[in-house]
Amino acid sequence: MKMLKLLLAVALFGVAVNVVVASDGRGWGDNVNWRPYSEALAEAKAQNKGTMLIIWKSWCGACKNLKPLVAASSEFVELSSNFVMSNVGDDEEPSDSQFAPDGGYIPRILFLDPQGKVDTSIYNKRGSEKYKYYYSDASQILDAMREAAQKFSGAEAEL
């Protein structure tokens, strides 16, 4: 009986640690169900959902400025339910060229279809033509999230 209790305690601890790791927004908002990139694509395919991928670096000033704006947005949290959410920092950035459709600047926010292909038609329409996937404020991101949610689901974004 003691062994069973010990195994149960270890299992519950493992689940609790996994939940904390899975939701760690690393400054982008802890009320979002963040997934490691290594799991995000399989999850998106299984759920037939798009993926929102934020590519950032810990030393990046623009990333540091954008993080609190995103984290403070309740609408961002609500819209995130339409996607499998992932953020990759520093050495986690995928190396495939599709993840730098117009350059390797940061931060970049990309929307991937349920099969994991970057949808280059979804970008910051109020931003620079040269840096289409760069967003400087939360409202620009929300616009792109609404567009992507509608495109991937065929319905209005859930709010």
Side-chain angles (χ1 to χ4, degrees), residues 12-13 19 34 46 58 64 125 140:
L12 289 174
F13 177 74
V19 168
W34 295 103
S58 59
K64 291 176 184 178
K125 305 296 192 285
Q140 296 168 337

Side-chain angles (χ1 to χ4, degrees), residues 34-112:
W34 295 103
R35 308 301 303 155
Y37 178 72
S38 60
E39 299 171 14
L41 295 183
E43 191 172 315
K45 189 171 188 175
Q47 294 180 15
N48 197 34
K49 275 186 165 182
T51 299
M52 180 176 163
L53 178 65
I54 302 175
I55 300 171
W56 58 279
K57 304 292 183 197
S58 59
W59 48 263
C60 166
C63 302
K64 291 176 184 178
N65 290 334
L66 189 57
K67 280 182 179 187
L69 302 175
V70 170
S73 172
S74 60
E75 192 172 359
F76 178 82
V77 173
E78 291 174 38
L79 284 168
S80 73
S81 68
N82 293 288
F83 306 95
V84 175
M85 301 291 289
S86 187
N87 72 73
V88 294
D90 297 322
D91 297 331
E92 301 168 331
E93 180 178 346
S95 60
D96 189 301
S97 62
Q98 79 162 334
F99 298 102
D102 64 350
Y105 55 87
I106 50 170
R108 290 188 312 283
I109 298 177
L110 304 170
F111 292 89
L112 289 65

